[in-house]
Amino acid sequence: MTGESSSPALTERGLDWFWRTGPHDRIYTRNMFEFFDGLNERRDAGLETVAIIHEDTEFGSISARVQESLCEEHGYEIVAGPISYTADSVTSFTSEIDRIKRADPDVLLPTSYLKDAILMAEEMRKLDYFPPLMMAQDSGHSDPGFVEKAELSEHVCTRSTYASDLTETVPELGRFDSFVNEQTDVSFNGIYIRSWGGFMTAMKAVDEAGSTEPEELQAALNGLELDRLETGMPYGCRFGDDGQNELASGVLAQFHDGASGLVWPFELASDDTFVFPAPTWSER
């Protein structure tokens, strides 16, 4: 059972003894494009062009390939990229940001770890460039080391499975968060809530099986039907034949003052949370 790992390949290997409760990267990225389409429909946002930049490990490369595919599927033009770089050795983003700035995309899609997310934002500030919408692929852009640098993270959006204000529309998640914090001194974020959901789902399967025999646990997991109150996550759980939770979905958030505000799903988000188009650095 994994709650956190998001590589799509994990549930594409035909494994009979592997289950994932959280979304994989294709689900997360599809959520982004549902959001872009929704903004065009709801706000007449005029989103048409995209730039893609990513670190070059499996994480970033798969992210970029899925984003390319979904741009084609949803009718968005890629005007810069995919631009790749090596996260461990990158020391400057001057040429990459200059290239993106000249292309002037409506949406910037970065996939980064912490060090490169900070360096990229510092370079963007130096060049006074910020796109109307910047939607990151979690990881470095969701790390507290980036988020808490409010002067850099302000107005950046990211996919996740949690936002600071999610408990206002889904109060039961707040009760779970309080319980976990009391026991561990750790609060939910996009990773920890998935860890919690994986644990809760596994324990529910043990209850359903009434046994710790492997075959009975396997049958219980394969037959689970849970709502979000039972999983402790923003979504329920029902495993497909591949072991992937078919009900798993991400949320999208935008950072303000070092905290994340939910912007999607639209039905759970506050209308006054989302700042669009984002101002450039000199306009702030």
Side-chain angles (χ1 to χ4, degrees):
M1 171 78 77
T2 182
E4 307 87 350
S5 301
S6 62
S7 172
L10 291 173
T11 46
E12 295 173 352
R13 298 166 58 189
L15 301 177
D16 293 329
W17 294 89
F18 186 87
W19 297 266
R20 172 169 39 209
T21 51
H24 57 63
D25 289 337
R26 290 196 185 99
I27 294 172
Y28 283 123
T29 306
R30 189 168 294 280
N31 294 158
M32 295 179 189
F33 282 81
E34 291 171 9
F35 177 59
F36 304 154
D37 291 348
L39 285 179
N40 284 339
E41 293 171 4
R42 289 166 173 254
R43 291 201 181 190
D44 195 22
L47 301 178
E48 297 178 351
T49 58
V50 169
I52 300 172
I53 183 168
H54 66 96
E55 60 81 31
D56 63 1
T57 68
E58 180 189 16
F59 168 56
S61 299
I62 289 177
S63 172
R65 286 200 298 270
V66 174
Q67 288 169 344
E68 277 190 284
S69 173
L70 288 174
C71 278
E72 181 177 356
E73 181 180 325
H74 288 254
Y76 295 92
E77 179 187 1
I78 300 173
V79 294
I83 302 169
S84 68
Y85 63 88
T86 301
D88 289 341
S89 60
V90 66
T91 58
S92 173
F93 281 102
T94 300
S95 61
E96 290 88 348
I97 298 305
D98 184 62
R99 177 181 168 188
I100 292 169
K101 183 177 181 179
R102 285 186 281 108
D104 193 26
D106 300 318
V107 182
L108 174 60
L109 299 174
T111 302
S112 310
Y113 292 115
L114 177 58
K115 172 190 167 185
D116 38 317
I118 292 173
L119 183 61
M120 187 185 301
E122 290 174 340
E123 203 76 52
M124 291 171 66
R125 181 169 60 173
K126 178 181 175 182
L127 295 174
D128 191 27
Y129 170 70
F130 202 92
L133 177 57
M134 180 172 171
M135 179 62 70
Q137 189 75 276
D138 198 44
S139 196
H141 286 94
S142 291
D143 190 291
F146 176 80
V147 177
E148 292 169 7
K149 293 181 182 293
E151 72 280 7
L152 298 179
S153 64
E154 189 75 6
H155 304 309
V156 172
C157 297
T158 184
R159 61 87 164 168
S160 184
T161 39
Y162 192 72
S164 303
D165 58 353
L166 182 60
T167 55
E168 295 176 15
T169 48
V170 190
E172 61 264 28
L173 296 183
R175 292 195 288 274
F176 287 133
D177 183 29
S178 297
F179 171 78
V180 171
N181 183 261
E182 288 169 5
Q183 306 302 317
T184 67
D185 201 30
V186 169
S187 295
F188 280 168
N189 61 19
I191 296 174
Y192 297 148
I193 194 171
R194 282 182 279 158
S195 301
W196 172 252
F199 167 75
M200 288 283 283
T201 302
M203 294 302 97
K204 186 66 176 178
V206 173
D207 285 345
E208 291 288 332
S211 168
T212 56
E213 290 299 317
E215 290 78 9
E216 294 182 31
L217 287 172
Q218 182 189 46
L221 282 163
N222 288 339
L224 279 183
E225 290 272 356
L226 305 178
D227 61 28
R228 67 184 179 207
L229 182 58
E230 294 172 302
T231 66
M233 297 183 290
Y235 44 82
C237 186
R238 181 181 65 233
F239 292 114
D241 293 340
D242 57 359
Q244 172 62 42
N245 178 8
E246 297 177 331
L247 304 181
S249 176
V251 302
L252 304 178
Q254 187 177 55
F255 299 123
H256 302 291
D257 298 322
S260 55
L262 188 72
V263 299
W264 187 92
F266 293 116
E267 64 270 18
L268 297 181
S270 170
D271 289 338
D272 58 3
T273 298
F274 183 48
V275 176
F276 175 84
T280 64
W281 303 96
S282 60
E283 293 171 335
R284 301 181 186 185

